[in-house]
Amino acid sequence: MKAQRPPELMSSPAIRIQDLSFGYGEGDFELRIGKLEVGRASSAAFIGPSGSGKTTLLHLIAGITLPQSGKIETNGVELTGLSENARRAFRIKNIGLVFQEFELLEYLTVLDNVLLPYRINAALELTEAVRERAANVAVEVGIGDKLSRYPSQLSQGERQRVAVCRAVVTEPAVLMADEPTGNLDPRNKGRVLDILFDYVETSGTTLLTVTHDHDLLDRFERIVDFKELLS
Ligand code: ADP
Ligand code: MG
């Protein structure tokens, strides 16, 4: 699984944030970051108290939301200058997201859940090669024999692995996981991280993970503590 990236972008870091300021329309929450860079082919853990803005920052880096001021460059693309459509196209091509609640569709099989990005985004073409890749990642994470099951017929750990497969099947340059181990027992926690880190190693992807599991932090190259970031 090798992510395809234009070579001219490789010299920039995967994430570069400068003088960022963000607030929601309502409420007095404010996220301010002077400078934050995360290198390519590396891993960073976002830690900090609940409500400190970890999920908000992932959304800004993915171009889901825009800051009031400042710059956000993800995979060499300055997001704040792009229209909503352009950011959506950017996201489809560059970002893989694993949500805390997995967000699997109960009426689709495991295989169709993994292939979902190709079903909902016209920009992604569902080719034979993609189907093969989907089957291969499923085998790699240990759910290769469960492709025709439905999510309700899977264990929690297996559901999580489907979500991981779906996030990596498009070969994203940036892989994001928002508390991916939140609901898992220790053995499955370790397994999910193994899968994410294996992918980072083989693909050159950058991994951004929000986590509350301090016993998992040793595995990350970089720890971004929101308590310090925001002070
Ligand atoms: P974390 O992921 O670190 O727990 P979040 O990024 O989810 O924190 O939230 C940061 C703050 O922004 C919280 O105070 C939260 O209530 C607020 N917030 C999150 N989403 C919205 C929204 N859509 N509208 C208004 N406030 C929000
Ligand atoms: Mg959160």
Side-chain angles (χ1 to χ4, degrees), residues 151-200:
S152 62
Q153 301 167 320
L154 299 177
S155 72
Q156 187 85 328
E158 289 165 345
R159 291 165 67 86
Q160 178 61 305
R161 278 175 260 156
V162 178
V164 171
C165 289
R166 186 175 58 192
V168 303
V169 74
T170 56
E171 303 184 311
V174 178
L175 180 59
M176 298 180 168
D178 198 348
E179 302 190 36
T181 58
N183 302 316
L184 300 178
D185 58 68
R187 202 171 128 257
N188 276 317
K189 274 181 192 179
R191 266 203 94 171
V192 164
L193 277 201
D194 288 345
I195 294 162
L196 293 171
F197 278 100
D198 276 355
Y199 183 75
V200 167

Side-chain angles (χ1 to χ4, degrees), residues 50-64:
S50 176
S52 59
K54 304 178 297 295
T55 296
T56 301
L57 181 58
L58 287 187
H59 288 178
L60 286 159
I61 291 169
I64 295 168

Side-chain angles (χ1 to χ4, degrees), residues 81-210:
L82 300 182
S83 68
E84 194 167 337
N85 276 345
R87 279 184 282 122
R88 185 177 147 76
F90 165 84
R91 201 157 54 242
I92 291 165
K93 258 188 80 180
N94 293 273
I95 308 283
L97 256 171
V98 183
F99 299 95
Q100 184 174 10
E101 300 302 330
F102 315 161
E103 313 272 340
L104 302 183
L105 298 183
E106 299 297 334
Y107 57 88
L108 293 180
T109 63
V110 166
L111 179 62
D112 285 331
N113 266 287
V114 172
L115 292 172
L116 190 66
Y118 292 85
R119 301 202 181 281
I120 59 179
N121 299 306
L124 296 177
E125 198 190 343
L126 182 51
T127 60
E128 246 345 276
V130 170
R131 286 176 177 283
E132 210 169 293
R133 191 160 70 228
N136 286 341
V137 271
V139 169
E140 277 172 42
V141 305
I143 53 167
D145 57 341
K146 305 199 164 71
L147 290 175
S148 56
R149 288 206 196 173
Y150 289 87
S152 62
Q153 301 167 320
L154 299 177
S155 72
Q156 187 85 328
E158 289 165 345
R159 291 165 67 86
Q160 178 61 305
R161 278 175 260 156
V162 178
V164 171
C165 289
R166 186 175 58 192
V168 303
V169 74
T170 56
E171 303 184 311
V174 178
L175 180 59
M176 298 180 168
D178 198 348
E179 302 190 36
T181 58
N183 302 316
L184 300 178
D185 58 68
R187 202 171 128 257
N188 276 317
K189 274 181 192 179
R191 266 203 94 171
V192 164
L193 277 201
D194 288 345
I195 294 162
L196 293 171
F197 278 100
D198 276 355
Y199 183 75
V200 167
E201 242 165 60
T202 55
S203 69
T205 287
T206 296
L207 173 66
L208 306 179
T209 305
V210 175

